[in-house]
């Protein structure tokens, strides 16, 4: 008589089963020396737009930019894309005192690699993120960063979500190192850390020995990679310098993203280079990490070795080291990515669905 009852129950059970079968979204903290567009900004927005990712926070750190600049750039790009992800200002300087003051002497001692970039060390530190925002965008921000320091947030998030949080460390490791120093109990509670940093089987870029992110704060990088974190994956120059962004790719992205973000991309330093020189190319380091978090099958070649960082001030300061046999006492194994599926990578980055959540 009441045939609708079993039908309704069956529908409810089917819906519950479908809900239960839906994979949990991966919780990610993006720890970044944020810039506009490529490469940190695009990495952030790929993660923020993916239905498979729960981007629970963006933490800024000094590196390519000052941490205050990173806050302003992150907020603006999230505003433009309509993604309400919390942003946290982090460490303003690397762990070694007076690092910026010693830069000329360090360059004379260690030499220079194929890239003369020194990141925020080459610019004056801004008064605040608000000052950066107003100067760059000519208006008041429509959002605010969280009041907590980035280090406090990392500790709180990991403790609240044990074995669930992936940290995408695509800048210097200062925030992560400070969190591990302050709360060493979080190391085994982190699901994994995926780094953009280091150069194991080829020369560095900013010095003959060192890659920029880990050169900027070698002491922090060493604390991080030696921590008892369950899994560590490293995207170093070994893979990052195999893939370049070309003008055609950049223009395709402009057509794929929403107009407000496309307009912002055109005004960036890289946008000006591509618009003025059709033969310009650019490495896209951090976007590889974001794309891998969306699809780990991107990795086609990797090795696992104990790794370490040279934090002794001298010729090889900041050098990343991999040991095919046994590493030094305290070193931990890491997956070192060597090659990715380039076609699959571009299919992710330039897919309109990646930007239309």
């Amino acid at each position: 008589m009441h045939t609708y009852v079993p039908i309704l129950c069956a529908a409810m059970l089917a819906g519950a089963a479908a809900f239960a079968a839906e994979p949990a979204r991966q919780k990610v903290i993006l720890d970044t020396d944020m810039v506009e567009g490529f490469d940190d900004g695009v990495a952030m927005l790929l993660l923020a737009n993916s239905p498979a990712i729960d981007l629970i926070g963006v933490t800024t750190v000094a590196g390519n930019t000052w941490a205050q600049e990173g806050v302003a750039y992150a907020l603006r790009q999230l505003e433009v894309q309509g993604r309400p992800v919390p942003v946290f200002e982090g460490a303003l300087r690397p762990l070694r005192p007076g690092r910026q003051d010693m830069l000329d002497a360090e360059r004379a001692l260690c030499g220079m690699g194929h890239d003369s970039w020194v990141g925020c060390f080459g610019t004056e530190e801004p008064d605040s993120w608000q000052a950066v925002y107003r100067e760059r965008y000519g208006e008041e921000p429509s959002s605010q960063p969280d009041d907590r320091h980035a280090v406090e947030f990392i500790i709180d998030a990991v403790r609240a979500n044990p074995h669930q949080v992936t940290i995408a460390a695509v800048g210097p490791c200062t925030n992560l190192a400070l969190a591990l120093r302050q709360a060493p109990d979080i190391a085994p509670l982190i699901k994994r850390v995926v780094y953009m940093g280091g150069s194991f089987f080829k020369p560095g870029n900013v010095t003959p020995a060192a890659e920029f992110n880990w050169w900027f704060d070698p002491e922090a990088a060493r604390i991080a990679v030696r921590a008892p974190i369950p899994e560590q994956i490293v995207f170093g120059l070994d893979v990052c310098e195999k893939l370049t962004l070309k003008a055609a790719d950049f223009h395709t992205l402009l057509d794929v993203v929403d107009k407000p973000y496309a307009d912002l991309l055109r005004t960036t330093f890289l946008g000006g280079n591509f618009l003025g020189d059709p033969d310009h190319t650019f490495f896209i380091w951090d976007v590889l990490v974001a794309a891998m978090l969306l699809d780990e099958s991107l990795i086609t070649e990797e090795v696992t070795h104990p790794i370490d960082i040279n934090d002794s001030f001298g010729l090889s300061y900041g050098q990343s080291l991999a040991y095919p046999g046994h590493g030094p006492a305290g070193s931990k194994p890491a997956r070192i990515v060597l090659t990715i599926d380039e076609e699959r990578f571009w299919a992710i980055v330039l897919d309109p669905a990646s930007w239309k959540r």
Side-chain angles (χ1 to χ4, degrees), residues 125-139:
E125 183 177 358
D127 292 333
S128 66
W129 72 266
Q130 295 96 328
V132 174
Y133 193 104
R134 294 183 190 111
E135 181 178 353
R136 173 69 177 99
Y137 306 115
E139 60 184 80

Side-chain angles (χ1 to χ4, degrees), residues 83-336:
R83 296 286 169 251
V85 178
V87 176
F88 304 80
E89 185 176 304
L92 304 182
R93 286 171 182 75
L95 297 184
R96 181 181 286 268
R99 182 76 194 286
Q100 186 176 8
D101 298 334
M102 297 188 297
L103 191 58
D104 290 342
E106 181 182 326
R107 274 286 166 90
L109 172 66
C110 299
M112 187 182 298
H114 63 75
D115 192 337
S116 61
W117 179 244
V118 294
C120 65
F121 284 159
T123 64
E124 187 174 345
E125 183 177 358
D127 292 333
S128 66
W129 72 266
Q130 295 96 328
V132 174
Y133 193 104
R134 294 183 190 111
E135 181 178 353
R136 173 69 177 99
Y137 306 115
E139 60 184 80
E140 293 296 321
S142 60
S143 59
Q144 300 282 323
D146 194 284
D147 290 337
R148 282 176 293 173
H149 191 278
V151 171
E152 181 184 357
F153 167 69
I154 290 171
I155 294 170
D156 290 347
V158 172
R159 284 176 172 167
N161 303 279
H163 313 296
Q164 297 179 58
V165 177
T166 293
I167 299 176
V170 299
C173 296
T174 319
N175 287 334
L176 179 55
L178 289 171
L180 291 164
R181 269 185 173 179
Q182 184 175 327
D185 62 286
I186 69 170
L189 301 180
I190 298 170
K191 179 180 179 181
R192 62 181 176 176
V193 178
V194 186
Y195 301 93
M196 191 280 112
S199 184
F200 296 95
F201 306 115
K202 61 181 299 180
N205 53 5
V206 292
T207 77
E211 174 275 331
F212 175 82
N213 277 353
W214 287 2
W215 163 86
F216 191 90
D217 196 343
E219 289 77 12
R222 191 164 194 255
I223 290 170
V225 302
R226 281 175 156 253
I229 296 165
E231 183 177 35
Q232 304 200 65
I233 305 173
V234 185
F235 283 74
L237 299 187
D238 311 281
V239 61
C240 293
E241 291 193 348
K242 289 182 177 179
L243 191 68
T244 57
L245 174 70
K246 300 177 178 62
D249 305 313
F250 183 76
H251 288 291
T252 299
L253 184 66
L254 293 180
D255 292 335
V256 165
V257 300
D258 293 336
K259 184 179 184 301
Y261 192 50
D263 291 342
L264 188 151
L265 289 174
R266 290 187 179 93
T267 67
T268 63
F269 171 79
L270 184 59
N273 284 338
F274 277 124
L275 296 174
D277 179 5
D279 296 322
H280 186 68
T281 60
F282 190 72
F283 293 126
I284 45 174
W285 310 271
D286 300 345
V287 186
L288 272 64
V289 171
M292 188 282 290
L293 292 176
L294 271 59
D295 183 358
E296 193 165 337
S297 70
L298 280 175
I299 300 173
T300 57
E301 183 186 8
E302 62 178 284
V303 293
T304 298
H305 296 311
I307 66 171
D308 213 345
I309 311 297
N310 185 355
D311 63 353
S312 298
F313 195 77
L315 285 174
S316 299
Y317 184 52
Q319 182 178 20
S320 48
L321 303 160
Y323 298 88
H326 296 287
S331 62
K332 299 290 188 295
R335 295 168 56 190
I336 302 170

